[in-house]
């Protein structure tokens, strides 16, 4: 399969639009209005956890669509939701939050590129997959790590 580096228009624009909620949270946190600070961080945390879980669902769908998927994909597909849930434990039990949880989510979002790269190398995703996933994972992961500084 010859890779096509350009994703279709709709997934590219929808994917980039998916960075807007986190960008808005970062803008609020660093914009100086302290009255919205906690809400912006909490929503940024929730959005990162949601998208990390979404990636797992995406990988599950890729495995389900493949005629004979490697077994590792099924395992990889459940890990993001478990990480997202585990990152909520500090908030749930009243220990330091949100910075450590945001770091966990940011690193997990960027690390997810390893799964995407493997899927691409094994020919289980379209040839343009990495040109879409790279900016989205680095973008959301980076913005989430930036929120951790707020």
């Amino acid at each position: 399969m010859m890779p096509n580096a350009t994703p279709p228009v709709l997934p590219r624009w929808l994917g980039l639009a998916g960075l807007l909620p986190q960008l808005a949270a970062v803008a609020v946190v660093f914009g100086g209005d302290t009255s919205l600070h906690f809400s912006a961080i909490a929503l940024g945390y929730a959005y990162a956890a949601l998208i990390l879980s979404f990636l797992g669902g995406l990988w599950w769908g890729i495995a389900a669509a493949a005629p004979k998927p490697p077994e590792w994909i099924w395992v990889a597909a459940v890990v993001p939701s478990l990480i997202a849930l585990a990152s909520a434990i500090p908030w749930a039990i009243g220990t330091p939050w949100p910075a450590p949880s945001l770091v966990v989510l940011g690193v997990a979002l960027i690390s997810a590129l390893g799964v995407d790269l493997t899927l691409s190398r094994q020919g289980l995703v379209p040839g343009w997959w990495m040109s879409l996933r790279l900016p989205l994972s680095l973008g959301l992961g980076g913005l989430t790590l930036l929120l951790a500084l707020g």
Side-chain angles (χ1 to χ4, degrees):
M1 167 183 4
M2 180 62 125
N4 177 2
T6 305
V9 172
L10 191 58
R12 181 179 28 182
W13 283 108
L14 290 173
L16 290 172
L19 296 175
L20 294 176
Q22 207 69 337
L23 191 58
V26 167
V28 169
V29 166
F30 292 100
D33 184 352
T34 57
S35 68
L36 298 175
H37 187 267
F38 180 79
S39 296
I41 286 196
L43 289 171
Y45 164 81
Y47 188 68
L50 178 79
I51 295 302
L52 184 61
S53 292
F54 172 80
L55 287 176
L58 192 64
W59 299 335
W60 187 275
I62 290 166
K68 292 187 178 196
E71 289 184 358
W72 69 265
I73 299 174
W74 299 105
V75 176
V78 299
V79 170
S81 294
L82 296 175
I83 291 171
L85 179 63
S87 75
I89 292 171
W91 193 9
I93 64 173
T95 59
W97 188 90
S101 297
L102 287 164
V103 169
V104 166
L105 292 176
V107 169
L109 285 161
I110 292 169
S111 298
L113 286 169
V115 172
D116 287 318
L117 184 58
T118 304
L119 291 170
S120 181
R121 287 183 176 159
Q122 292 184 1
L124 295 167
V125 293
W128 48 262
W129 189 258
M130 288 309 296
S131 65
L132 179 69
R133 294 298 315 129
L134 189 65
L136 297 181
S137 287
L138 291 178
L140 187 60
L143 288 166
T144 302
L145 290 172
L146 190 57
L147 271 182
L149 298 174

